[in-house]
Amino acid sequence: MSKGDVVIETAAEAEATAKAPYWDPPPAPLLDTSELKKWSLYRALIAEFMATLIFLYVSVATVIGYKSQSQAEACTGVGFLGVAWSFGATIFILVYCTGGISGGHINPAVTFGLFVGRKLSLVRTLLYIAAQCLGAVCGVGIVKAIMKHPYNSLGGGANEVATGYSVGGALAAEIVGTFILVYTVFSATDPKRTARDSFIPVLVPLPIGFAVFVVHLATIPITGTGINPARSLGAAVLYNQHDAWKDHWIFWVGPLIGATVAALYHKLVLRGEAVKALGSFRSTSATV
């Protein structure tokens, strides 16, 4: 092969690479203990801790403030709409701020869904969830310290199954709500979408924040809207009353099921990996 042929072949390879529609990162290893030696992991854990702390402080303070204001007069305060905006807008801000450091999960269900989708190792998944839960407890602790009397008398922002709804209905609401959120996360961060659409960084956290907003509008009357086990745990730990713990399992089991279904739906159906695997199996069988 002549030198000219090598240059032409190299240019052709470079052009083919440039025209590649997108590049999918390889699946994350299940156990990657080498991460424990990297500062980037601990920086991400700090970011998740702080983001979840801020999220719980703002959102639970909004809930307590609304209940306190509406107690005196029913039509005062931000209302359910304002509470939903508080949760959704805060997530939008925090995902925008921390997305480049930790991915901006701020939710064990999101982290677990990404683990199911092979985007995270088991080590990072467990440490993220621990950091998020600790941040949630600290965030609600700040609310309780500042708003002690209304916090204790108005339910502490804890998630409970509302009167008139069954445990099964509440579980279904948490599953569907978390599915919508995690499905949005996968869609917004899909490298195929990033390659196809003009990439504007603010567009990633925007649909995620809106997903949180619309799910809260739908499920606040049912469960107070969990869809985030750390949010539910932080409020339950600080309020620490029977009603907060009675059906607490719903706010873990529901989100984890919803996140799993969303991850599998995106991976196997929307990205067509089930069809690709079936096609590969058929082509292999034909050549045997």
Side-chain angles (χ1 to χ4, degrees), residues 62-95:
T62 303
V63 170
I64 301 301
Y66 158 60
K67 287 185 175 181
S68 179
Q69 291 169 322
S70 61
Q71 195 176 38
E73 188 177 343
C75 293
T76 57
V78 296
F80 280 179
L81 182 62
V83 171
W85 269 119
S86 175
F87 278 86
T90 306
I91 284 295
F92 164 67
I93 294 167
L94 293 172
V95 172

Side-chain angles (χ1 to χ4, degrees), residues 1 5 13 19 39 58 115 132 138 170 178 186 190 229 241 243 252 254:
M1 183 181 290
D5 291 335
E13 290 176 355
K19 289 182 178 180
W39 163 243
V58 173
F115 169 71
Q132 291 156 358
C138 293
T178 310
F186 272 96
D190 191 335
Q241 299 293 322
D243 289 344
W252 282 88

